[in-house]
Each structure stands twice: as structure tokens, then as C-alpha cells.
Amino acid sequence: METIKFLESGKLILEKWIERSQTTEENRLDIWISTANLKPAVQSLVEIRWGYLITITGLDIPPVRDQDNNELQPGQLEALYHFANDADIITIRVKVPYSKPQIDSICEIIPSATIYEREVIELFGFDLLNTPNTEKLILPDSWPEGVYPLRKSFTNLQDLVTSNKEQSND
Amino acid sequence: MTEAKKEKFIVPIGPQHPALKEPGNFEFTVDGEIVTDATVRLGFVHRGIEKACETRNYTQDMYLLERVCGICSHVHATAFVLGVEKLAGVQAPPRAEAIRVLAAELERIHSHLLWFGVAAHEAGFDTLFMYTWRDREVVMDILETLSGSRVHYSVNILGGVKIDIDQKLSDLIKKDMDFLEERTEHYMKVVTTDETFLGRTRGIGTLSRDRAKLLGAVGPTARASGVKRDVRVNAPYSGYKEFPVKMVIDQTGDLEARFVVRLKELYESYRLIREILEKIQPGEISTRIKRKIPEGEVISRVEAPRGELFYFIKSNGTEMPDRVKVRTPSLCNWGTITDVAVGHKLADMPMLLAGIDPCFSCNDRMVEIRSDSQPSQMMNWDGLRKYGIEYYK
């Protein structure tokens, strides 16, 4: 009973921004919205005190290529903002292309999101606009710029390990 | 303004962490004795497990994820296994679910006792530390008898569990629970009446209910501030549907409340374990599951000893997951530290940090003390701990 109530109240408040929605489990609602609407959507959930932000999950959707290696669909990144209210989970999802991976930071609304934002910046290469802190959280300080380990294209650490060793020699 | 700024010190603590045996780095900016800012730097034991999961099959991943943490290994495997089972449309038999809960509660007991010892040590109360760790051996022995291993018990398999309990083991566990309950009574008395100890905990690090909610605190840290967050109760999973638990809540929100909440949770664990041993039904302990998991995405949440553990698993229809995202409870609770630390004395920091029961390999971190404009004053964790004890002498 309560499950339905919570999910519906969440859906109602977010309705005007929803581009597509999906319910894969009875206690879950996934909604896709445009990046421009992310901040107002999060704001409205926080305003009605709809649960709390569990985390931000990053997903890499590598480019689709045909046999001749022509790009049919450019590579994309997807950020999933999971909000939980008791057993219910609303996931706000935004997709951005590799070429312009910009999303507004939500730290103004939820200050504790900074740690999750730093994580997706480092591991996926998102560009969080106006995020308060972009210092390295997990990766070593010597990690090369522009290498994002959780993208599918990243498979090998060998070269990085060697170059780090050379650095430490001097 | 500039002059006032010059007097501020940044005190870096870590990454070598003699007290916690794990690496983490914090920087506290201090104005005299009072902390004015705090930051955290993680990643010293980052092992890239999420990436590694993408190149291993589901069974291998289960064992790999169990190694995210050496304290709460079972809950990691449980969260993953429950998610994968949901994707595959497989339900583990009731006896298996009950054994999962049994192992989870035994793990909670060992984890809480371990934390209790560490916290006592940070307060300079080493006798208490020795006693709790001695008592913790009782539950470690049970886990070893149960599974053959003290740390990574690997109770789970995809589709069930691989260990079973018999009457002899059941009697042994019940006897040990009685012993531990008696000991916990004693600890409760110490925590709530010992004046030296209360000097370090009562009214310190108070986190209001609203702050805790806003900062996304989870587990005992949140419950000590009156936030009703316990996945076992909010969204019962596995055997908790059949064997419900009572949520332990305290409204005070200070360090003492965090001690009391964890100790009360121990009572609840003892009760639950007895109930499971009484009521567990005979039957199968595992069911078959296909190697290839159907395409889909699943969210799996379980209550680890430190709070809500979150898994997001995406399957692409092969034997290997497309993405596994792990959000451990310690990560959420760091936010509360950087918030609560401000305005407290530097001497309170070790206890505040210990208060959230930080688990480093879960998130991976350290503490560092550094000077801004003047020569660096390094202080390691041990130094800070001693400083705290001396301060309160």
C-alpha cells in the first residue's frame, strides 16, 4: 500500500519533466529527463522531503560502430540519481554525449552529493558544472588526465603503471 | 582577516593509521583548539573492484565482492546474490534465506564488538578493548565452526547457501549467545555509567535528526539521531521477511547514543539468532541457477553492520555483468564527520571518527594534519589519539 503511495507522490511531483519512465520492479521507478531539468527535479524531490539520495551511479554506453568502423551512434554517459524513501526507489536518469558530458551539480541542493559527484568525474569523465570540489577522491594523484577507468574503452593499466614508475625514479 | 587566517592550522591525519589498521586521510583546519573545517581524501586502498567485476562471471564476482570488506564480507555477497537472483527470477529456498540472515546477524555481532573495542581503544580505555575483543572471539569461533573460515565465510552461492546447521551447532550457538548477552549487559552498564568514558562521549558530536537526514547518514549513525533508516525494517529482504527485526532508535544523536544504539542492536541480534535456530524449517538449501543472467537492471539494498549497503547490477544477458555499482555505508557517513567536526576540539576527533565505525576498504581513506602558512606539523593517528587522551586526563 505505502509503496504505491510513495512512488505515486514522487511521480506526480516529477511529472512535468518526465521524458520516459519505466517500472522494472514494483518498488522502483526509473525516469529519464533532460539534463537541463535535473536541478529543478532534484529540488522538487528534496522540497517535499521525498527520501534521500543513495548515490549517483555512472554508466558508460560505448559508441555503436558498423563493420567499417563508422560511428552509428556516438558514445554516451548516463548518470543515475537514486533516491530512496523506505522501500521505494526513484531513479532520475540523464544521458549526455562524450563530446559534451556536462551536468549541473546538485551540491547546492544536497551538499553530501559532492562525494558521489567527485567519484563520477574521476571514473567516468563527467563534467559537473559548479561542483564545489573536483579534487581526486579515489584515484592516485599521478593518474593521467583524461583517462577514465570505468569507461568500457579502458582495459589496460600497463602503460600507466610503467609511466608512474619512471616518474617516481626522478 | 588575513592575520586571523594565518593562525589557522591544517592538521593532516594519516594515511598511515596505526589505530585502525587501515589507510585514510583527513585534514582538519584548526583555529587554536577548535576545528573549523574538515576534508577527507580516500582511495588509498582502492582496488578497482567495480571494473574487475565486468570481466568476471557472476560466481567469480560473488567471491570478489565478498572481499570488498574483511569485516562485513557476508553482506556484500548477500546484496550481490539477491540482486542476481532477482534478475534471474530465482528464489532461494526458505532455509537458505534463514541461514543467510543467521550469518548476517553473527557478522553484525562480530562487527559491533570489533568496533566497540576500537572505540574504547581510541578513548584510551584499553581494558575494555581487550575484553570486547576477547568476547568477539566467541562469535568468530562460531563463524569458523559454521563455515570453516573466520573472515570470508562464503556462506552464499548463487541460488542459496552452501552451509547447513545441525542440532549440535545450534545448541553451541545458543549457549554462546547467552554468554554474549550477559557480557553485553555489562558493556551497556560501562558505556552509560563510567564517568571517564562518558566524558568522551556524552554531548559530543551531536548530530540532529534533520542534519542526519540531509547528509544522508545511514545505519547506527543515523538511528542514533532518531532517523528511522534500517533496510531490514524499511524494505525487508531475504529471511528478514520471515524473521522481522525491531529497529533500534535513539533521539539524542551524540556519541553516547551511537554506543547505546549499537549495543542494543546486539541484543536484537541475539534474539533473532535464537528465534531462527528455534523456528528454522528443514528443507533444501540451494536451487539451480543458469550461468547466463537475463538482461536487465536491478537494485539490491541490504543492511550492513554500518548501515545501508547499495548494489546496482546491470546485466547484458551474458555470463558477466555489464556494470556493478557498490555504495558502501561508510561513504555516506563521512559526510556527517566533516559536518559534525566543525566547532569541536581537535582532541575529540579520534572518538568522532571512531563513532561512525569507519571501514576503510569499504571506501578507502586516511587523516592528515598540515599547517597552512607555517611549517608543517605532522601528526599521525596514534599521535592524535594520545593527544585526545592526554587532553581529557
Side-chain angles (χ1 to χ4, degrees):
Chain A
M1 270 307 277
E2 285 213 325
T3 296
I4 299 160
K5 209 178 71 193
F6 279 143
L7 277 186
E8 290 214 323
S9 69
K11 192 172 182 177
L12 206 66
I13 197 103
L14 296 170
E15 199 138 48
K16 54 186 159 191
W17 296 295
I18 298 180
E19 289 178 351
R20 184 157 72 88
S21 74
Q22 182 188 328
T23 303
T24 43
E25 291 168 71
E26 57 178 14
N27 63 335
R28 274 181 60 197
L29 173 71
D30 285 30
I31 60 159
W32 280 262
I33 63 172
S34 76
T35 42
N37 293 332
L38 178 70
K39 258 175 104 170
V42 170
Q43 178 83 48
S44 63
L45 277 187
V46 171
E47 265 168 21
I48 59 159
R49 298 183 164 237
W50 201 97
Y52 63 102
L53 177 73
I54 307 180
T55 188
I56 305 170
T57 301
L59 285 181
D60 178 32
I61 307 157
V64 183
R65 292 174 199 277
D66 64 8
Q67 292 158 338
D68 306 325
N69 210 20
N70 295 319
E71 223 171 61
L72 297 177
Q73 191 200 315
Q76 286 179 308
L77 294 172
E78 191 171 8
L80 285 67
Y81 294 73
H82 307 282
F83 287 85
N85 193 348
D86 264 10
D88 298 346
I89 300 164
I90 287 184
T91 305
I92 299 178
R93 311 172 68 131
V94 288
K95 267 188 192 174
V96 287
Y98 278 0
S99 52
K100 199 175 171 248
Q102 292 168 345
I103 302 179
D104 284 325
S105 165
I106 57 160
C107 290
E108 255 174 51
I109 311 161
I110 306 170
S112 58
T114 172
I115 221 157
Y116 310 129
E117 291 190 348
R118 284 164 76 183
E119 191 181 327
V120 294
I121 293 171
E122 266 180 67
L123 302 177
F124 285 94
F126 279 96
D127 183 8
L128 270 294
L129 303 172
N130 300 322
T131 187
N133 190 345
T134 52
E135 275 177 38
K136 288 241 161 58
L137 176 76
I138 297 167
L139 297 176
D141 291 331
S142 57
W143 191 269
E145 286 292 314
V147 178
Y148 306 115
L150 276 183
R151 286 207 188 168
K152 295 285 176 194
S153 54
F154 177 86
T155 51
N156 195 338
L157 203 67
Q158 200 60 52
D159 304 340
L160 300 173
V161 172
T162 334
S163 64
N164 279 351
K165 268 188 188 150
E166 278 164 10
Q167 274 174 17
S168 62
N169 282 344
D170 53 49
Chain B
M1 185 68 202
T2 344
E3 278 191 9
K5 233 181 181 176
K6 268 184 187 165
E7 281 163 29
K8 275 180 189 162
F9 266 68
I10 295 177
V11 187
I13 305 171
Q16 312 309 335
H17 224 289
L20 283 169
K21 315 283 178 284
E22 285 182 275
N25 173 213
F26 307 88
E27 283 186 4
F28 295 112
T29 309
V30 290
D31 186 1
E33 183 61 30
I34 304 298
V35 174
T36 54
D37 194 17
T39 59
V40 57
R41 168 80 165 96
L42 317 178
F44 298 93
V45 285
H46 184 70
R47 292 152 291 170
I49 286 184
E50 287 180 22
K51 183 78 179 177
C53 283
E54 293 171 13
T55 52
R56 284 164 177 79
N57 69 34
Y58 285 94
T59 311
Q60 290 170 321
D61 282 345
M62 190 193 71
Y63 290 102
L64 178 64
L65 289 163
E66 203 170 37
R67 277 145 185 86
V68 167
C69 181
I71 304 172
C72 46
S73 61
H74 174 72
V75 287
H76 278 272
T78 308
F80 180 71
V81 161
L82 288 173
V84 175
E85 283 169 5
K86 220 185 272 174
L87 278 175
V90 169
Q91 171 69 47
R95 189 174 173 88
E97 299 283 32
I99 291 173
R100 278 177 184 168
V101 171
L102 180 78
E105 291 307 314
L106 285 169
E107 183 173 79
R108 195 177 316 276
I109 296 170
H110 114 68
S111 175
H112 279 6
L113 285 175
L114 176 122
W115 162 81
F116 191 39
V118 171
H121 173 68
E122 300 307 343
F125 200 163
D126 277 344
T127 322
L128 186 60
F129 158 56
M130 296 292 171
Y131 272 123
T132 49
W133 279 39
R134 181 199 70 179
D135 295 341
R136 176 173 164 266
E137 282 308 305
V138 172
V139 70
M140 297 309 275
D141 285 346
I142 298 177
L143 285 165
E144 192 179 2
T145 323
L146 195 69
S147 67
S149 172
R150 281 164 56 92
V151 178
H152 296 297
Y153 348 107
S154 302
V155 166
N156 285 301
I157 51 172
L158 292 171
V161 293
K162 67 181 179 201
I163 56 137
D164 206 350
I165 43 169
D166 55 18
Q167 195 54 47
K168 202 175 138 203
L169 190 57
S170 169
D171 292 341
L172 174 85
I173 298 176
K174 277 185 207 158
K175 212 178 89 208
D176 286 343
M177 288 304 119
D178 292 341
F179 169 76
L180 286 174
E181 185 149 24
E182 203 187 304
R183 294 299 303 165
T184 311
E185 298 273 0
H186 173 66
Y187 295 141
M188 190 61 120
K189 219 173 98 192
V190 173
V191 163
T192 50
T193 58
D194 187 279
E195 278 197 25
T196 327
F197 203 69
L198 284 177
R200 302 295 305 271
T201 58
R202 189 166 279 179
I204 290 175
T206 309
L207 184 66
S208 72
R209 187 159 163 266
D210 284 345
R211 262 335 260 177
K213 269 196 163 173
L214 186 70
L215 294 167
V218 292
T221 311
R223 293 195 285 274
S225 293
V227 181
K228 288 182 183 158
R229 268 179 207 163
D230 186 333
V231 186
R232 294 176 294 167
V233 179
N234 297 143
Y237 55 92
S238 189
Y240 290 107
K241 287 172 202 152
E242 203 184 332
F243 300 101
V245 289
K246 208 174 85 227
M247 203 189 300
V248 179
I249 292 277
D250 197 298
Q251 305 294 342
T252 336
D254 60 357
L255 265 171
E256 188 195 358
R258 281 167 224 163
F259 277 88
V260 170
V261 162
R262 285 198 179 86
L263 287 176
K264 281 189 181 164
E265 282 186 9
L266 286 177
Y267 293 132
E268 190 59 14
S269 295
Y270 303 144
R271 184 197 64 73
L272 192 68
I273 287 170
R274 288 198 195 102
E275 190 185 324
I276 292 171
L277 293 173
E278 288 294 329
K279 292 191 186 160
I280 192 166
Q281 296 299 316
E284 291 289 315
I285 56 165
S286 67
T287 175
R288 288 186 74 84
I289 186 165
K290 286 198 178 114
R291 280 174 70 92
K292 282 188 181 171
I293 304 297
E295 221 170 296
E297 292 173 354
V298 74
I299 286 174
S300 176
R301 294 155 77 206
V302 300
E303 186 73 15
R306 285 161 192 73
E308 175 193 1
L309 173 66
F310 170 92
Y311 268 70
F312 173 87
I313 307 161
K314 187 179 177 199
S315 162
N316 51 11
T318 63
E319 288 178 17
M320 295 186 279
D322 193 50
R323 172 96 169 95
V324 178
K325 158 82 188 171
V326 185
R327 203 286 336 263
T328 53
S330 301
L331 195 57
C332 309
N333 288 335
W334 283 117
T336 69
I337 287 292
T338 41
D339 190 71
V340 165
V342 176
H344 274 85
K345 298 186 202 98
L346 187 61
D348 287 328
M349 289 307 122
M351 284 298 279
L352 264 185
L353 288 168
I356 63 160
D357 194 2
C359 175
F360 284 77
S361 34
C362 281
N363 308 250
D364 165 32
R365 57 236 80 199
M366 100 181 163
V367 192
E368 208 183 316
I369 313 194
R370 194 178 65 200
S371 158
D372 220 0
S373 49
Q374 292 155 47
S376 209
Q377 181 201 343
M378 290 294 286
M379 197 187 264
N380 64 16
W381 180 266
D382 210 23
L384 183 68
R385 178 186 155 258
K386 286 199 183 111
Y387 178 77
I389 296 166
E390 283 299 320
Y391 187 90
Y392 274 98
K393 251 185 186 164

